[in-house]
């Protein structure tokens, strides 16, 4: 359904638009509040920071783009996305696109994909936030988004509820779908980079499907204390 601007304004009178991070009321056409946008600026990271904090982790990707640390407004916005609200994720899609341009100034990737979720989890969550992030980023960069490259086998376990040592085993549930990526450069999106196990597995799977280069792009890095 196509909303007119006036329609969106009227809808806002009934269901006020709120910032995902702090729940303050915001204009009907805003994605987050100016205070949280300012706070996110104070949390900014450089693209390579996660690897610098985790030099012992062997990563299969060719480079990583990220916007900020997983703290404050970023943490609240990501948790809101896991809960089905997506204003923050759409806002971050544009920010992440800028980080990707900085990482790859010469040649943008051929296509963007994301860490998949099962249909069941998608229903539970209301929106697949990694997918929305990837699509917002793809739109800003003007490159195609492809959702048919990776799949997650169904199951009842939720990864963020697992202890760290079991996450690696859980990550093996992600597989490529058989779509060939020979010679392609792929950008893989997710919300947070924590231990890296999911993104490592997905990167390996994309390579197995023939990808020449794989870069990752995340909203936030969970940094070591
Ligand atoms: Zn806010």
């Amino acid at each position: 359904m196509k909303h007119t601007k006036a329609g969106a304004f009227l809808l806002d009178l009934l269901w006020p638009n709120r910032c995902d991070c702090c729940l303050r009321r915001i204009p009907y056409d805003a994605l987050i509040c100016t205070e949280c946008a300012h706070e996110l600026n104070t949390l900014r990271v450089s693209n390579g920071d996660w690897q610098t904090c985790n030099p012992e982790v062997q990563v299969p990707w060719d480079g990583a783009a990220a916007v900020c640390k997983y703290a404050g407004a970023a943490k609240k916005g990501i948790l809101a996305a896991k809960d089905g609200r997506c204003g923050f994720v759409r806002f971050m899609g544009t920010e992440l696109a800028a980080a990707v341009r900085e990482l790859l100034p010469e040649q943008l990737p051929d296509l963007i994909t994301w860490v998949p979720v099962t249909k069941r989890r998608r229903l539970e969550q209301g929106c697949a936030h990694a997918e929305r992030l990837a699509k917002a980023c793809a739109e800003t960069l003007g490159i195609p988004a492809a959702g048919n490259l990776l799949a997650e086998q169904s199951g009842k376990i939720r990864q963020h509820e697992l202890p760290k040592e079991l996450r690696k085993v859980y990550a093996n549930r992600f597989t490529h779908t058989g779509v060939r990526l020979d010679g392609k450069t792929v950008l893989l999106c997710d919300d947070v980079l924590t231990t890296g196990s999911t993104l490592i597995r997905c990167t390996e799977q994309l390579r197995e499907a023939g990808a020449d280069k794989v870069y990752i792009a995340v909203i936030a890095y969970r940094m070591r204390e």
Side-chain angles (χ1 to χ4, degrees):
M1 191 171 57
K2 203 178 165 189
H3 288 290
T4 60
K5 242 186 163 183
F9 176 78
L10 286 173
L11 204 63
D12 188 60
L13 294 176
L14 294 170
W15 289 283
N17 191 19
R18 292 186 185 276
C19 171
D20 282 352
C21 313
C22 68
L23 299 176
R24 274 190 199 102
R25 248 195 107 158
I26 50 174
Y28 75 95
D29 56 352
L31 293 173
I32 61 168
C33 76
T34 46
E35 286 85 349
C36 286
H38 179 75
E39 193 191 334
L40 290 170
N41 268 331
T42 67
L43 294 169
R44 293 225 172 236
V45 291
S46 295
N47 283 332
D49 282 354
W50 187 83
Q51 195 58 60
T52 311
C53 291
N54 297 274
E56 78 287 0
V57 182
Q58 291 294 313
V59 296
W61 49 76
D62 294 282
V67 181
C68 58
K69 284 185 202 164
Y70 184 69
K75 189 174 174 179
K76 287 180 197 158
I78 288 167
L79 290 174
K82 288 191 197 294
D83 234 12
R85 285 175 283 140
C86 284
F88 170 77
V89 168
R90 282 169 55 213
F91 176 82
M92 277 306 195
T94 316
E95 298 290 310
L96 190 55
V100 172
R101 271 191 204 285
E102 205 181 296
L103 180 73
L104 303 166
E106 307 288 330
Q107 180 79 50
L108 286 174
D110 296 305
L111 69 170
I112 298 191
T113 192
W114 54 89
V115 172
V117 293
T118 56
K119 275 190 185 141
R120 184 177 167 275
R121 270 213 299 168
R122 201 181 159 150
L123 281 173
E124 272 175 16
Q125 290 175 343
C127 85
H129 53 284
E131 177 178 345
R132 290 220 184 169
L133 174 72
K135 286 183 173 168
C137 186
E139 201 183 318
T140 310
L141 293 172
I143 53 181
N148 60 343
L149 310 182
L150 294 164
E152 184 197 1
Q153 293 159 35
S154 356
K156 287 192 171 172
I157 313 159
R158 292 158 72 96
Q159 191 202 14
H160 61 272
E161 290 166 1
L162 286 177
K164 246 186 189 172
E165 56 277 16
L166 286 180
R167 286 193 183 188
K168 212 170 173 184
V169 182
Y170 178 87
N172 288 341
R173 299 152 59 80
F174 295 97
T175 53
H176 68 77
T177 56
V179 173
R180 293 305 303 170
L181 294 165
D182 301 281
K184 299 263 191 253
T185 297
V186 183
L187 183 76
L188 171 65
C189 282
D190 202 5
D191 52 358
V192 197
L193 174 54
T194 305
T195 62
S197 51
T198 302
L199 285 161
I200 288 171
R201 168 74 180 182
C202 290
T203 301
E204 286 165 351
Q205 287 294 302
L206 292 169
R207 281 204 197 284
E208 213 164 278
D212 182 30
K213 287 198 163 129
V214 181
Y215 295 92
I216 61 157
V218 294
I219 293 174
Y221 285 153
R222 204 164 194 163
M223 305 297 261
R224 273 192 186 175
E225 298 307 320

